[in-house]
Amino acid sequence: MAGIYLHIPFCKQSCHYCDFHFSTSMGTKERTIQAIAQELELRQDYLKGQVVKTIYFGGGTPSLLTQPELQLLLQTIKRLFIVADDAEITLEANPDDLKPEKLQELKAAGINRLSIGLQSFYEPHLRMMNRAHNATESLQCVKDAQAAGFNNITVDLIYGIPAPDHSIWLQDLETLFSLNVQHVSCYALTIEPDTALGRWSKKGKFIPSEDDFTAQQFELLLEQMAHHGFVQYEISNFCKPGYDSRHNSNYWRGVHYLGVGPSAHSFNGHSRQYNVANNRKYIDAITVQTIPAEIEKLTLADQANDYLLTTLRTIWGCDLTQMREKYNYDMQATHQLYLQDLAQKELASIKDGVLYLTDKGKLLADQITLDLMVE
């Protein structure tokens, strides 16, 4: 079992919070897509004959792909790899791109799961983030997608946006639930240095929310998601039963995946590969049949830390027996007192040899993970 990720590095405009690799210039778009198809050719042996069960178009804004571009990439994958008949094929999309005609094109191409970047239903917040869509489009695109026959839809929302109180966030959640989507990803607004918000924050032109305010919104999120029948299967991800993201779940379970396109990452269990985050350098390298990537060989400690980092965030927890037998790391012996302290503070628990974070612990997941890592 394996997955393929395709990074489409183009956007109409720059969101003020985003630090992913993308370009707002479309001058190299056609050549980049051709290069991605070529990279698939060059790397067709990376997954060693494993069955591809998930394909994910991320970015950037993959909904900017034309129908011929999308068909080129999907047809190339199906020609070079063994793709399961029931493969999950996800495409990230911005609401302003999802007109009825576009939705029909995506459906006809074989996309069976949409990931829609709504972020908010509140117009001032959308403008603050410099989103390319408005609040009306946030609502309409989901309804249009459902009318087009998409029955596996996930949407993104951002919390922790500065506000006088939690009323806007609660209204966003109420609107979300009215749409009856199958999956939701929710992320706290993070101020990255090399973004517009990061630069404004440094100059005092933007004041981020206090940590307590953001934590309160996360707690409201957990409460409302549970009330509406959503399962929190990863800290930031919620689904109706049976609708977890198979692609992202495979990341968290250590399944191998091939990443193609500028800045894409790949993982085969023993190493990670990082493509150059520069469109022109990427195109130039692929043109001469070279993969423009750095390779990181993973030590046993690296593999243990990867397993801890990914599994501890999920509903499945971190299997301490596997940590000991596969990665030679006896966490219970090394961190006995710390694990007891986590249990006493109701931040984590161990059941049947598996370490789980509680709802309180999820607020401190990054620090707890760091404390438990192999040094």
Side-chain angles (χ1 to χ4, degrees), residues 258-273:
L258 168 65
V260 294
S263 82
H265 295 178
S266 302
F267 170 73
N268 64 5
H270 303 288
S271 68
R272 294 192 181 278
Q273 201 158 322

Side-chain angles (χ1 to χ4, degrees), residues 4 37 62 83 130 159 166-167 180 196 246 257 313 322 348 366:
I4 294 177
V83 179
N130 199 39
Y159 63 92
H166 300 309
S167 59
N180 197 31
R246 286 160 53 188
Y257 61 90
R313 295 179 59 88
Q322 181 163 334
D366 290 345

Side-chain angles (χ1 to χ4, degrees), residues 20-301:
F20 292 147
H21 170 65
F22 67 92
S23 171
T24 55
S25 170
M26 303 295 165
T28 63
K29 179 169 174 277
E30 182 178 348
R31 292 176 61 204
T32 301
I33 302 307
Q34 291 289 339
I36 292 174
Q38 286 181 260
E39 186 185 0
L40 287 165
E41 297 269 5
L42 294 173
R43 304 187 71 185
Q44 59 185 288
D45 296 327
Y46 185 80
L47 298 176
K48 296 182 178 179
Q50 296 182 66
V51 176
V52 173
K53 293 197 172 183
T54 66
I55 299 169
Y56 194 102
F57 290 86
T61 310
S63 51
L64 291 176
L65 289 172
T66 64
Q67 188 173 21
E69 289 169 341
L70 183 57
Q71 288 176 332
L72 168 66
L73 296 175
L74 283 172
Q75 288 170 2
T76 302
I77 289 171
K78 291 178 179 179
R79 175 169 55 84
L80 298 172
F81 299 88
I82 306 168
V83 179
D85 291 339
D86 64 344
E88 176 192 87
I89 307 177
T90 304
L91 181 133
E92 292 183 352
N94 275 358
D96 46 299
D97 293 326
L98 294 182
K99 308 305 181 190
E101 181 180 347
K102 182 70 171 184
L103 287 161
Q104 291 299 334
E105 290 179 0
L106 297 175
K107 188 79 173 174
I111 301 301
N112 55 32
R113 184 173 183 271
L114 288 177
S115 176
I116 308 176
L118 301 183
Q119 315 311 353
S120 178
F121 298 99
Y122 184 59
E123 195 70 41
H125 283 179
L126 291 173
R127 290 198 298 269
M128 181 274 292
M129 291 185 281
N130 199 39
R131 294 293 293 167
H133 69 280
N134 58 44
T136 300
E137 289 171 320
S138 286
L139 285 166
Q140 191 60 46
C141 74
V142 175
K143 295 176 182 177
D144 287 344
Q146 291 166 333
F150 285 96
N151 57 12
N152 193 354
I153 297 173
T154 179
V155 301
D156 290 354
L157 288 181
I158 292 178
Y159 63 92
I161 300 172
D165 54 36
H166 300 309
S167 59
I168 297 171
W169 177 232
L170 288 171
Q171 182 59 53
D172 268 358
L173 290 174
E174 183 177 337
T175 303
L176 164 73
F177 295 127
S178 74
L179 291 173
N180 197 31
V181 296
Q182 291 78 23
H183 187 285
V184 185
S185 296
C186 293
Y187 304 100
L189 180 66
T190 303
I191 310 304
E192 302 291 352
D194 193 24
T195 63
L197 290 184
R199 291 186 287 272
W200 294 343
S201 179
K202 188 175 181 180
K203 295 177 181 178
K205 294 181 179 180
F206 178 82
I207 309 300
S209 297
E210 296 289 339
D211 289 346
D212 285 349
F213 180 87
T214 300
Q216 288 165 12
Q217 295 209 333
F218 180 72
E219 290 168 345
L220 288 169
L221 171 67
L222 298 188
E223 176 186 297
Q224 290 297 309
M225 284 291 174
H227 178 71
H228 286 85
F230 282 81
V231 176
Q232 185 189 25
Y233 69 102
E234 194 271 343
I235 286 180
S236 301
N237 288 272
F238 306 79
C239 69
K240 290 294 181 67
Y243 284 95
D244 55 299
S245 167
R246 286 160 53 188
H247 187 83
N248 289 341
S249 294
N250 285 347
Y251 287 160
W252 302 320
R253 286 170 162 158
V255 172
H256 299 181
Y257 61 90
L258 168 65
V260 294
S263 82
H265 295 178
S266 302
F267 170 73
N268 64 5
H270 303 288
S271 68
R272 294 192 181 278
Q273 201 158 322
Y274 309 92
N275 281 3
V276 64
N278 180 292
N279 292 359
R280 291 191 179 278
K281 289 181 180 180
Y282 172 79
I283 293 168
D284 290 345
I286 295 295
T287 300
V288 295
Q289 307 290 297
T290 300
I291 305 299
E294 293 183 10
I295 298 176
E296 176 192 5
K297 298 291 185 181
L298 300 176
T299 65
L300 198 61

